[in-house]
């Protein structure tokens, strides 16, 4: 069964003015779709073609011969996850269970936001900033290109895409403004709380 591009969980105009319709159409319909197409081409007529996406990522992670499969599978997963990390009217107060876990791990919500921002801004080149749980501990980290905590035993709770195509149409080279808008105006903390409950 071929991998498919999941639909956005909201309309193309839902995140305006913080993320434009143009960005969502380019990022979801073009970039995300390309990863899906590439993954299908790379896994066609192999055992991986019928595997769950998360299983593909875990099976090929670290295999130099399967780096193309990993990159495309991880990017399909990362983007599908990322769209759910955003919502109309996002940011604001967190669900209490998430807030408590974050305060316990980082000292305060403000310190968490500061550390997540720092991870997003200091990721050199393309990549992702993450809130994830690993060995029972909440962590903030960053990964290059397609890499994901999922490939290393971590359970992602929230992510920010810092590939240039995620923000260049709306913010040009102002990554800091984009990251601030994600955290303060688009973050779906309820989704992060759901992931925490499952982690």
């Amino acid at each position: 069964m071929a991998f498919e591009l999941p639909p956005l969980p909201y309309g193309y105009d839902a995140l305006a003015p913080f993320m434009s319709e143009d960005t969502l159409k380019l990022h979801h319909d073009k970039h995300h779709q390309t990863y899906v197409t590439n993954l299908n081409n790379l896994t066609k007529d192999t055992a991986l073609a019928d595997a769950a996406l998360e299983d593909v990522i875990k099976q090929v992670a670290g295999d130099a011969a399967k780096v193309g499969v990993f990159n495309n599978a991880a990017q399909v997963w990362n983007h599908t996850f990322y769209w759910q990390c955003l919502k109309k009217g996002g940011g604001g107060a967190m669900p209490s269970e998430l807030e408590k876990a974050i305060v316990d791990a980082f000292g305060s919500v403000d310190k968490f936001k500061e550390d997540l921002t720092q991870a997003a801004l200091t990721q050199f080149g393309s990549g992702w900033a993450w809130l994830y749980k690993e060995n029972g501990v909440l962590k903030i980290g960053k990964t290059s290109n397609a890499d994901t905590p999922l490939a290393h035993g971590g359970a992602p709770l929230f992510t920010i895409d810092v590939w240039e195509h995620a923000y260049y149409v709306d913010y040009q080279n102002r990554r800091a403004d984009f990251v601030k808008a994600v955290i303060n105006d688009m973050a779906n903390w309820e989704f992060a709380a759901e992931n925490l409950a499952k982690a």
Side-chain angles (χ1 to χ4, degrees):
M1 192 172 82
F3 297 99
E4 294 182 357
L5 177 69
L8 284 171
Y10 32 72
Y12 289 112
D13 60 350
L15 302 177
F18 308 105
M19 188 178 291
S20 68
E21 193 168 327
D22 285 347
T23 288
L24 280 169
K25 285 182 173 174
L26 179 70
H27 197 172
H28 176 267
D29 297 4
K30 303 297 184 187
H31 287 281
H32 195 175
Q33 177 63 65
T34 296
Y35 298 127
V36 173
T37 301
N38 290 344
L39 179 60
N40 282 323
N41 290 337
L42 288 164
T43 57
K44 189 179 179 186
D45 300 326
T46 74
L48 294 173
D50 294 318
L53 188 58
E54 289 190 11
D55 293 336
V56 173
I57 292 166
K58 291 171 183 175
Q59 283 180 47
V60 303
D63 183 345
K66 299 264 174 53
V67 68
V69 174
F70 175 82
N71 285 341
N72 285 282
Q75 283 293 80
V76 172
W77 192 93
N78 289 351
H79 280 87
T80 301
F81 184 83
Y82 171 62
W83 301 130
Q84 296 174 86
C85 289
L86 309 176
K87 71 170 190 173
K88 183 180 181 69
M94 297 176 176
S96 58
E97 64 275 19
L98 178 65
E99 182 176 348
K100 181 182 184 307
I102 280 175
V103 170
D104 287 348
F106 305 107
S108 69
V109 170
D110 285 345
K111 182 66 166 70
F112 156 72
K113 290 179 178 178
E114 184 182 311
D115 290 354
L116 183 63
T117 298
Q118 214 31 43
L121 296 185
T122 57
Q123 170 51 41
F124 184 75
S126 300
W128 303 81
W130 302 90
L131 170 66
Y132 64 102
K133 192 171 185 179
E134 186 177 57
N135 299 322
V137 179
L138 282 193
K139 298 181 177 181
I140 288 169
K142 55 190 176 179
T143 57
S144 295
N145 299 319
D147 203 9
T148 167
L150 191 67
H152 309 284
L157 307 185
F158 184 83
T159 195
I160 302 174
D161 185 346
V162 291
W163 283 62
E164 283 193 341
H165 64 238
Y167 59 88
Y168 215 84
V169 170
D170 299 324
Y171 296 88
Q172 289 81 49
N173 63 329
R174 302 189 315 275
R175 185 189 286 190
D177 291 347
F178 165 70
V179 170
K180 183 179 178 183
V182 170
I183 292 172
N184 293 338
D185 303 298
M186 292 184 281
N188 185 351
W189 299 128
E190 289 76 18
F191 178 65
E194 290 169 16
N195 292 322
L196 176 63
K198 293 183 292 190

